[in-house]
């Protein structure tokens, strides 16, 4: 019987098909079969893309366009009129005396949150991972603050920080220690905000670290113990290298999250600015431009500041991805 030999590039093996037998499907037929096979997947992907386009991409594009526009009421019709104003909104926020303070406070909060809010959950996760008893009970206790609504948790801390009837000053008096003004003092307001924020959010971060720690093979710790490594040695040579990926990922997420600081100072300091603008953040300044200031084009100035914040976070994220890719290579 006559036979047909098919040779494929990169494949030295050959397959013989009988002449006159079934022929390979044409390209259009293969495409139609592939579409039918993945039709459900394409449907879910279209829904996700539409959601992202409507709720994420369109607001960002709209914000960028509004940052170069101005809105004022027509003196005759009294209807709002939008005009192109170029860089005027960016010039306005640049000359705002609170602009530098907002960026300074945002960076300060991010650094303090990294020192406290990044290290404390990792240490707590290591302690929970080493415990042999009551581990589940302690996990619930650590995660419990995350289940509280943020506003409720911050109102609770607002009561704790009250210099007259607050719990913290009451405990300091019992221990015969000097009391503090906490959020009512420009020197301690930012640290007080960081402590409240860390207590609110450390539960979820701790569980993520704990899940990463439990994936570390126990043989590595046994080998380290045989080599004479103590607790700090095991953490340095086993725990940190094995969780380096999740640590770097949580570091990036925490920096991006802390740069968008808003609700903590807004509730604890009754508006966000704090004593002497000591807790005003970039997002809080955006809120003030959009809703608190009088006059026209407030939304446009808020959009300009939002674009600047988005660019800073975008540059940081791109830098992180570039460094991560360089390490993988």
């Amino acid at each position: 019987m006559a036979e047909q030999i098919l040779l494929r590039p990169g494949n030295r093996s050959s397959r013989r098909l009988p002449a006159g037998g079934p022929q390979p499907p044409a390209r259009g037929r293969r495409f139609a079969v592939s579409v039918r096979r993945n039709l459900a997947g394409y449907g879910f992907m279209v829904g996700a893309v539409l959601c992202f386009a409507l709720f994420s991409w369109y607001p960002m594009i709209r914000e960028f366009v509004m940052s170069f526009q101005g809105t004022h009421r027509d003196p005759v019709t009294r209807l709002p009129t939008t005009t192109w104003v170029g860089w005027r909104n960016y010039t306005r926020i640049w000359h705002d005396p609170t602009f530098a303070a907002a960026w300074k406070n945002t960076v300060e909060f991010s650094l303090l949150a990294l020192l406290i809010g990044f290290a404390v959950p990792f240490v707590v996760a290591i302690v929970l991972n080493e415990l042999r008893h009551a581990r589940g009970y302690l996990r619930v206790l650590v995660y419990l603050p995350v289940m509280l609504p943020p506003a409720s948790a911050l109102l609770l801390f607002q009561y704790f920080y009250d210099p007259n009837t607050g719990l913290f000053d009451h405990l300091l008096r019992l221990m015969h220690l000097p009391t503090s003004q906490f959020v009512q003092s420009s020197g301690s307001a930012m640290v007080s905000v960081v402590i409240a924020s860390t207590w609110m959010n450390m539960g979820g971060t701790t569980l993520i670290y704990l899940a990463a720690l439990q994936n570390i093979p126990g043989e590595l710790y046994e080998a380290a113990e045989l080599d004479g490594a103590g607790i700090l040695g095991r953490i340095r040579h086993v725990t940190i290298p094995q969780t380096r990926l999740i640590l770097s990922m949580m570091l990036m997420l925490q920096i991006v999250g802390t740069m968008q600081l808003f609700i903590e100072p807004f509730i604890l300091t009754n508006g966000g600015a704090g004593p002497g603008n000591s807790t005003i953040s970039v997002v809080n300044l955006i809120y003030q431009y959009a809703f608190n200031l009088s006059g026209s084009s407030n939304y446009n100035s808020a959009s300009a500041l939002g674009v600047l914040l988005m660019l800073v976070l975008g540059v940081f994220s791109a830098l992180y991805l570039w460094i991560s890719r360089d390490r993988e290579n």
Side-chain angles (χ1 to χ4, degrees), residues 84-303:
W84 191 262
V85 297
W87 297 97
R88 184 184 302 172
N89 294 316
Y90 291 91
T91 305
R92 177 187 179 188
I93 63 173
W94 179 261
H95 290 93
D96 189 334
T98 58
F99 179 79
W103 282 101
K104 172 183 171 295
N105 293 333
T106 302
V107 173
E108 181 183 357
F109 177 84
S110 299
L111 294 177
L112 289 175
L114 289 180
L115 290 176
I116 301 175
F118 185 72
V120 171
F122 188 63
V123 174
V124 173
I126 292 176
V127 173
L128 290 178
N129 193 48
E130 295 292 332
L131 292 177
R132 294 293 180 268
H133 303 286
R135 182 183 298 179
Y137 175 73
L138 293 175
R139 286 180 188 173
V140 173
L141 286 183
V142 171
Y143 192 72
L144 192 60
V146 181
M147 291 185 281
L148 285 176
S152 301
L154 291 170
L155 288 175
L156 185 65
F157 264 86
Q158 194 179 42
Y159 158 69
F160 289 162
Y161 287 149
D162 190 294
N164 298 318
T165 60
L167 177 63
F168 291 160
D169 271 342
H170 180 67
L171 294 176
L172 292 175
R173 292 190 194 96
L174 289 179
M175 294 184 289
H176 303 286
L177 294 175
T179 57
S180 174
Q181 295 294 316
F182 295 107
V183 293
Q184 297 186 8
S185 170
S186 59
S188 58
M190 184 57 74
V191 177
S192 303
V193 171
V194 172
I195 293 174
S197 178
T198 302
W199 183 83
M200 288 170 49
N201 302 307
M202 68 175 291
T205 309
T206 301
L207 291 187
I208 293 174
Y209 288 147
L210 190 59
L213 292 175
Q214 293 180 347
N215 287 328
I216 300 176
E219 294 80 4
L220 297 178
Y221 287 109
E222 294 174 0
E225 289 179 358
L226 291 176
D227 291 338
I231 295 178
L232 295 180
R234 294 199 298 271
I235 293 174
R236 177 185 176 186
H237 297 290
V238 178
T239 303
I240 293 178
Q242 291 294 318
T243 57
R244 184 177 57 188
L245 180 61
I246 193 68
L247 284 175
S248 60
M249 179 62 69
M250 294 303 297
L251 177 65
M252 187 198 71
L253 293 178
Q254 185 153 356
I255 291 178
V256 172
T258 53
M259 290 289 288
Q260 302 177 44
L261 169 71
F262 175 70
I263 188 172
E264 291 89 348
F266 185 79
I267 293 181
L268 290 177
T269 61
N270 296 322
N277 287 331
S278 59
T279 59
I280 189 171
S281 65
V282 175
V283 179
N284 188 267
L285 189 57
I286 292 174
Y287 176 84
Q288 291 189 7
Y289 278 134
F291 301 107
N292 286 351
L293 297 182
S294 59
S296 59
S297 299
N298 293 334
Y299 284 107
N300 305 102
S301 298
S303 300

Side-chain angles (χ1 to χ4, degrees), residues 17 77 296:
L17 294 177
T77 62
S296 59

Side-chain angles (χ1 to χ4, degrees), residues 21-73:
Q23 298 297 320
R27 178 174 301 178
R29 181 182 175 84
R30 289 199 300 270
F31 177 75
V33 171
S34 176
V35 169
R36 284 198 300 271
R37 183 182 304 164
N38 301 305
L39 189 60
Y42 290 140
F44 286 114
M45 186 179 68
V46 168
V49 170
L50 288 177
C51 287
F52 272 106
L54 183 61
F55 298 109
S56 295
W57 300 332
Y58 171 73
M60 286 191 293
I61 296 173
R62 180 62 177 157
E63 178 189 36
F64 182 77
V65 174
M66 286 181 64
S67 68
F68 293 97
Q69 292 178 335
T71 304
H72 63 276
R73 290 192 177 277

